[in-house]
Amino acid sequence: MTLRLGYGTNGLTDLRLDDALGLLADLGYDGVGLTLDHMHLDPMAPDLATRTRQVAGRLARLGLGVTVETGARYVLDPRRKHGPSLLDPDPEARAARTALLVRAVDVAADLGAHAVHCFSGITPPDTTADTAWQRLTGALAPVLDAADRAGIPLAVEPEPGHLLAALADFHHLRTLLGDPGPLGLTLDIGHCQCLEPASPVDCVKEAAPWLRHVQIEDMRRGVHEHLPFGDGEIDFPPVLEALAATGYAGLTVVELPRHSHAGPELARTSIDFLRRATGTRSGAAPC
């Protein structure tokens, strides 16, 4: 089985989107993890539909696949990182995040994207776990309905420090929601190294039935810091072999959101590293 490699635009924010997409195509990437944000495809723009058509055309001409990511830090609130979240105490604030995710599903449909990614958010102070889970399931319901209509999976990411932080939490969410068809998983390989009790290889095997999106970078145990390949502790060849063996057909996207200053060079060295880790020649599809 082949792995389809991508690079996240949240690690290329110093480039215009057209330039970022051209760079990734030239380097031989199969696709892009497109974070909806003001510097690239702004989900709040009044001409979003026109911009989306233009991006769809650019992706098609370059032969790039796409997953829509929704982790922009200040896209809804210029003063609160990732605020408001799906767990916000204010129902109207939660509704704003829900509306953004529904809009992301619409954008994904227009782009022909493989999935839409999201995460839960951090539990607010003085909020019980039961209340937080109730807010999360309620806020996700309209998004899952939109995903079902569009035929595009919603891939929820376990994020260190969030309510939904680990694979076990994803399974808890599945149970609370009644295991809806559109609900899938974003597996971040670095997060597995950071906090999961199982190894990254075992996490991949456990997650296989629900994989809809994969993010990849290096990381150290107990430290949530996205690192370039080789700067952390992960042994990647067995992880990539396990991932290929699952039959996962989506993108495996390099996730280096704090390295945009070196984005073009890291995009080059990252794909070189991943090709070496899979024993694949430069310019050929890894397998």
Side-chain angles (χ1 to χ4, degrees):
M1 296 296 298
T2 58
L3 292 180
R4 300 174 60 226
L5 301 179
Y7 200 94
T9 59
N10 60 2
L12 295 169
T13 55
D14 290 271
L15 276 67
R16 298 177 183 88
L17 182 56
D18 276 358
D19 292 337
L21 298 179
L23 169 73
L24 299 182
D26 288 345
L27 289 172
Y29 281 95
D30 301 292
V32 58
L34 176 58
T35 296
L36 303 183
D37 206 350
H38 66 88
M39 73 286 290
H40 286 152
L41 186 57
D42 185 354
M44 314 307 290
D47 58 345
L48 176 60
T50 298
R51 295 189 188 193
T52 301
R53 286 193 296 271
Q54 293 170 346
V55 173
R58 177 73 166 153
L59 290 168
R61 290 189 296 274
L62 293 172
L64 292 174
V66 60
T67 300
V68 170
E69 302 196 1
T70 61
R73 295 183 179 94
Y74 296 99
V75 68
L76 288 178
D77 189 329
R79 294 172 176 81
R80 285 194 297 161
K81 181 181 176 182
H82 298 310
S85 79
L86 297 170
L87 309 179
D88 199 287
D90 182 353
E92 292 187 4
R94 293 198 301 277
R97 177 62 62 173
T98 295
L100 176 66
L101 295 180
V102 170
R103 189 173 303 134
V105 171
D106 293 338
V107 169
D110 291 339
L111 294 178
H114 179 74
V116 172
H117 146 278
C118 72
F119 43 62
S120 68
I122 297 170
T123 303
D126 302 320
T127 302
T128 67
D130 284 347
T131 295
W133 284 108
Q134 288 171 9
R135 289 175 184 168
L136 180 61
T137 55
L140 282 179
V143 189
L144 289 164
D145 287 344
D148 191 34
R149 290 192 299 271
I152 295 175
L154 181 69
V156 179
E157 178 187 6
E159 183 77 21
H162 285 209
L163 172 69
L164 199 156
L167 283 172
D169 300 318
F170 169 74
H171 293 304
H172 182 57
L173 177 66
R174 284 198 311 116
T175 299
L176 291 176
L177 289 169
D179 203 13
L183 180 65
L185 172 69
T186 293
L187 186 70
D188 188 302
I189 302 301
H191 294 172
C192 297
Q193 176 69 20
C194 176
L195 57 69
E196 293 287 351
S199 70
V201 168
D202 288 338
C203 287
V204 168
K205 294 176 180 178
E206 176 191 339
W210 300 279
L211 280 182
R212 302 296 180 266
H213 184 42
V214 174
Q215 297 173 345
I216 192 166
E217 69 285 318
D218 218 338
M219 205 168 285
R220 301 186 183 99
R221 185 71 181 169
V223 182
H224 183 203
E225 181 182 4
H226 290 234
L227 299 172
F229 298 115
D231 287 0
E233 301 169 340
I234 300 174
D235 181 15
F236 281 97
V239 175
L240 297 169
E241 182 179 359
L243 183 58
T246 69
Y248 167 69
L251 291 171
T252 298
V253 173
V254 179
E255 185 79 359
L256 293 172
R258 296 190 177 184
H259 291 77
S260 185
H261 61 283
E265 178 63 11
L266 280 170
R268 182 188 66 80
T269 58
S270 294
I271 197 168
D272 288 346
F273 178 94
L274 291 170
R275 285 168 173 161
R276 289 195 302 271
T278 56
T280 305
R281 296 187 308 275
S282 178
C287 61

